[in-house]
Amino acid sequence: MMLALALARAAYAADFGYSVEVDADDSALTSLLERYLDIVKYRGNELMSPDQLRRLYRDMPAQAADLLATEGYFSPKITPTLSETGQHWQVGLKVQAGEPTLIDTLDLTVDGALNDEPDAERRKRAMQRAWPLKPGLQFRQADWVDAKRRALQVLLTDRFPAATVADSEARIDPASNRAQLRVKYDSGPRFTLGAVSVAGLQRYPQAIVDHLHEIRPGDPYDYAKLSELQSALLATPYFKSVYVEVETDPAAPEQVPVKVTVVEAPLQKISLGVGYGTDKGARTEADYRYNNVLDRGWLFRAKTTIEQRQQTGEVGIDLPRNAKGYYDGAYARINRQEAQGLVTAKKETGATRSRSKGIITTSLGVSYLTEDATLGDVHTSNQALTLSYKWVRRDVDNVLDPRRGNVIELQSAGAVRGMLSDTSFVRGYARGVLYHSFGAGRTVQLRGEAGQVVAEDAARVPTDWLFRVGGSGSVRGYAFESLGVPAEGGVQPGKVMATTSVEYQQHVVGNWRAAVFVDAGNAAESWQSFHFARGYGAGARWKSPVGPFALDLAYGEDARKWRLHFTLGVAF
């Protein structure tokens, strides 16, 4: 008898099942309840029985009320139903959420050493600005937690890394649907940084690390400085991992040691790459680097790039950043290029000094260039010892794929006849790019550039210092460097240049974007003979796992033809 009863119960449980229908007056609340209610989560469980279902049913209204409270609904009307049809049961839950609770007042106070700081009131105002739950907005539990975290972050990142939320209260009045918020923070003691120590160095000198930061014992704790140090070290070729650690014990806030732990990268690196572009055709390249010449962290590099229309070989030495923040380097380069009938063979040696501070990078260089150029039946040989200066301000949200921000670049260069130069000249160049995002994957890119060379004899200026435009990244709809001064046998560079571009990009799907654009520009012998050659078209952009991809179809008005521009880079 007992065995028969047990078998009957087992058979009943095996066939037992139920469904749940949730009906709330807001689809977002319906989704919330369906996602987190236990009676929904355990539906279909093979161990479910009628007794267990009744227990979940009894708990369902209270659990629903708790979930609704997290979204600011504290006076809901909840109606549960349960019906049985044979061995299939039906659970219903009808919810009228009522009026949401709105923020009425906010009382935010700070105790601790912050109040002794000269900028205490400014810091408190910054915390108020970082607080997203403003009076009049709907109260939600997740927003309440996030708001406390955001305001705390203002303290944690600057001088007070041991700050805490000392007390907090959200007082809800269900009758008026109003919430009064009160939060008290304790800033804790003011922290200062101590000496920077490095662990893990075996091959490279500690000066590499010391020269990449400006942290001095006694400086106020600054999370941004510590993060910049870690990023700067990871950006070098010397380390494959970097960890920066500072103890934040409130009992010992003075001159806290900064501990840097590094894992060194291999001494040598070989990179191979392939690519293709309609400007210069197929490309292959090989790059070799050795990271510790003379055990001083000097970087030796050798690179060969072979393209259909250009071949380049280069060797160089780059020094790590010095105590004054400068990067020094020297190089030797050979290059052969053919474009629009102009064939050039160049040899160049030079030295550079650059420095980055915030979003601004400056570079000073000196180079000696000899060039043999042939255009049709005309052959020239020129040389120039040139001093150049570059200033770049780069303020973008993403260096590799910008959507907001701007880039401004200014260049100047010059040479003096008789000082390893065939003629005297001065060259100026300016470029600007503006990125503006409209949200929902829409971006506008505005680009403009202009340049001019003033020379005693322009025919004696190496072509590297003159201007030709056209092609991908310049004026689309025209062949690479096809816009310049027409000459017998091809196109020669001019003394003046200007281009402008407007491009609109729209996100389509995944990493794909569509683009439409209008370009205009030219290079000429003088501004009097200059005119804008226009091109316009449409294209596709893909942020691929192996490199950037761009495909554009553009019509050049002066050329009176459509031209396809395609670039793809692959590195491995």
Side-chain angles (χ1 to χ4, degrees):
M1 183 68 180
M2 294 296 294
L3 177 59
L5 182 60
L7 290 173
R9 287 178 177 175
Y12 185 87
D15 295 335
F16 175 73
Y18 68 92
S19 58
V20 181
E21 182 178 351
V22 178
D23 179 17
D25 49 12
D26 184 286
S27 60
L29 296 179
T30 299
S31 298
L32 175 74
L33 295 169
E34 289 177 340
R35 189 180 310 120
Y36 294 110
L37 283 174
D38 287 344
I39 203 168
V40 177
K41 287 193 294 184
Y42 292 116
R43 182 181 49 193
N45 190 300
E46 61 181 11
L47 299 179
M48 182 60 63
S49 67
D51 289 342
Q52 291 170 324
L53 175 60
R54 291 188 184 95
R55 179 180 60 79
L56 292 175
Y57 177 76
R58 286 194 301 269
D59 295 340
M60 182 177 66
Q63 190 179 24
D66 290 342
L67 289 170
L68 293 169
T70 66
E71 292 297 302
Y73 297 94
F74 291 91
S75 301
K77 183 178 179 182
I78 300 173
T79 306
T81 58
L82 180 64
S83 59
E84 176 184 357
T85 304
Q87 289 179 251
H88 183 80
W89 295 44
Q90 176 68 43
V91 179
L93 179 66
K94 185 173 180 58
V95 173
Q96 293 175 296
E99 292 297 321
T101 297
L102 304 180
I103 309 300
D104 187 24
T105 60
L106 168 66
D107 180 19
L108 191 156
T109 59
V110 185
D111 291 340
L114 172 68
N115 294 303
D116 299 327
E117 296 290 295
D119 63 344
E121 293 305 316
R122 180 184 65 80
R123 296 288 298 280
K124 291 177 183 178
R125 289 193 298 271
M127 295 175 70
Q128 293 275 0
R129 289 193 299 271
W131 186 273
L133 271 182
K134 308 296 183 183
L137 296 180
Q138 183 173 341
F139 176 88
R140 291 185 174 89
Q141 182 65 30
D143 295 340
W144 168 236
V145 174
D146 181 60
K148 290 188 285 186
R149 180 191 59 80
R150 290 193 185 191
L152 179 63
Q153 200 69 21
V154 175
L155 294 173
L156 293 174
T157 57
D158 184 5
R159 285 169 277 174
F160 302 97
T164 60
V165 178
D167 189 23
S168 67
E169 179 184 45
R171 180 171 296 179
I172 309 298
D173 182 3
S176 62
N177 295 311
R178 291 293 183 268
Q180 296 178 333
L181 308 182
R182 179 180 61 82
V183 187
K184 179 187 289 187
Y185 292 92
D186 183 357
S187 71
R190 182 182 191 272
F191 277 72
T192 59
L193 298 175
V196 177
S197 62
V198 187
L201 285 175
Q202 297 177 357
R203 308 186 187 102
Y204 306 120
Q206 183 164 332
I208 290 176
V209 178
D210 294 340
H211 294 164
L212 279 172
H213 69 85
E214 298 179 357
I215 298 173
R216 300 293 177 264
D219 285 353
Y221 175 94
D222 187 339
Y223 177 81
K225 280 188 177 181
L226 300 174
S227 180
E228 287 171 6
L229 171 58
Q230 184 174 29
S231 298
L233 290 171
L234 286 172
T236 71
Y238 307 110
F239 310 110
K240 62 181 180 181
S241 70
V242 178
Y243 181 64
V244 179
E245 180 184 16
V246 174
E247 293 291 339
T248 55
D249 182 0
E254 296 294 331
Q255 297 206 14
V256 182
V258 179
K259 301 176 182 178
V260 180
T261 304
V262 300
V263 176
E264 295 179 333
L267 278 173
Q268 303 179 73
K269 180 180 180 181
I270 298 177
S271 300
L272 304 175
V274 297
Y276 178 82
T278 48
D279 285 350
K280 300 178 183 179
R283 182 184 78 251
T284 60
E285 62 183 38
D287 189 1
Y288 170 77
R289 294 178 181 247
Y290 180 78
N291 296 340
N292 200 20
V293 176
L294 300 178
D295 293 327
R296 295 187 177 184
W298 294 2
L299 173 64
F300 170 78
R301 52 187 170 82
K303 184 175 182 179
T304 300
T305 303
I306 299 176
E307 298 167 296
Q308 287 178 268
R309 300 182 182 93
Q310 179 172 266
Q311 301 82 44
T312 303
E314 180 177 346
V315 295
I317 291 285
D318 295 322
L319 277 60
R321 175 170 155 163
N322 64 25
K324 294 184 178 180
Y326 290 100
Y327 293 88
D328 296 322
Y331 64 90
R333 179 187 304 132
I334 58 174
N335 172 274
R336 185 187 182 280
Q337 178 178 314
E338 180 179 357
Q340 303 304 315
L342 178 64
V343 180
T344 59
K346 292 170 281 192
K347 298 177 182 179
E348 183 181 4
T349 59
T352 60
R353 164 166 280 197
S354 62
R355 183 178 186 179
S356 295
K357 205 165 183 67
I359 60 176
I360 294 176
T361 299
T362 57
S363 178
L364 181 67
V366 60
S367 67
Y368 175 64
L369 172 68
T370 63
E371 176 187 78
D372 291 321
T374 302
L375 181 62
D377 296 330
V378 179
H379 177 81
T380 58
S381 295
N382 295 322
Q383 63 175 346
L385 178 66
T386 308
L387 182 68
S388 61
Y389 177 78
K390 181 191 294 187
W391 181 93
V392 180
R393 181 185 183 275
R394 184 174 288 104
D395 185 12
V396 293
D397 59 338
N398 186 320
V399 175
L400 299 178
D401 189 26
R403 288 289 170 267
R404 293 182 300 277
N406 59 82
V407 179
I408 301 173
E409 179 179 342
L410 303 174
Q411 295 182 21
S412 62
V416 178
R417 181 169 57 87
M419 297 181 62
L420 296 178
S421 302
D422 293 331
T423 187
S424 297
F425 69 88
V426 176
R427 182 184 191 269
Y429 172 84
R431 175 176 178 266
V433 185
L434 174 66
Y435 303 93
H436 184 72
S437 177
F438 293 92
R442 298 184 300 234
T443 305
V444 169
Q445 174 185 317
L446 306 177
R447 170 174 52 83
E449 60 180 342
Q452 181 170 358
V453 172
V454 178
E456 287 182 340
D457 182 1
R460 305 298 291 171
V461 177
T463 60
D464 267 14
W465 298 108
L466 298 172
F467 304 104
R468 289 191 301 180
V469 301
S472 302
S474 180
V475 184
R476 287 161 287 189
Y478 301 86
F480 176 62
E481 293 191 350
S482 64
L483 296 174
V485 180
E488 185 176 348
V491 178
Q492 66 183 16
K495 293 189 294 184
V496 301
M497 176 273 290
T499 71
T500 184
S501 173
V502 178
E503 178 170 307
Y504 171 78
Q505 294 184 9
Q506 173 67 58
H507 176 260
V508 180
V509 61
N511 290 328
W512 284 93
R513 296 190 295 270
V516 292
F517 56 84
V518 177
D519 298 342
N522 215 327
E525 187 64 23
S526 66
W527 292 116
Q528 287 74 23
S529 60
F530 179 89
H531 81 282
F532 279 104
R534 290 184 294 272
Y536 42 82
R541 308 285 179 267
W542 180 40
K543 187 179 178 183
S544 80
V546 293
F549 167 90
L551 179 66
D552 291 317
L553 181 63
Y555 180 75
E557 284 190 347
D558 286 14
R560 295 184 179 181
K561 65 166 51 177
W562 289 91
R563 184 171 293 275
L564 190 67
H565 299 277
F566 170 83
T567 58
L568 173 64
V570 181
F572 53 87

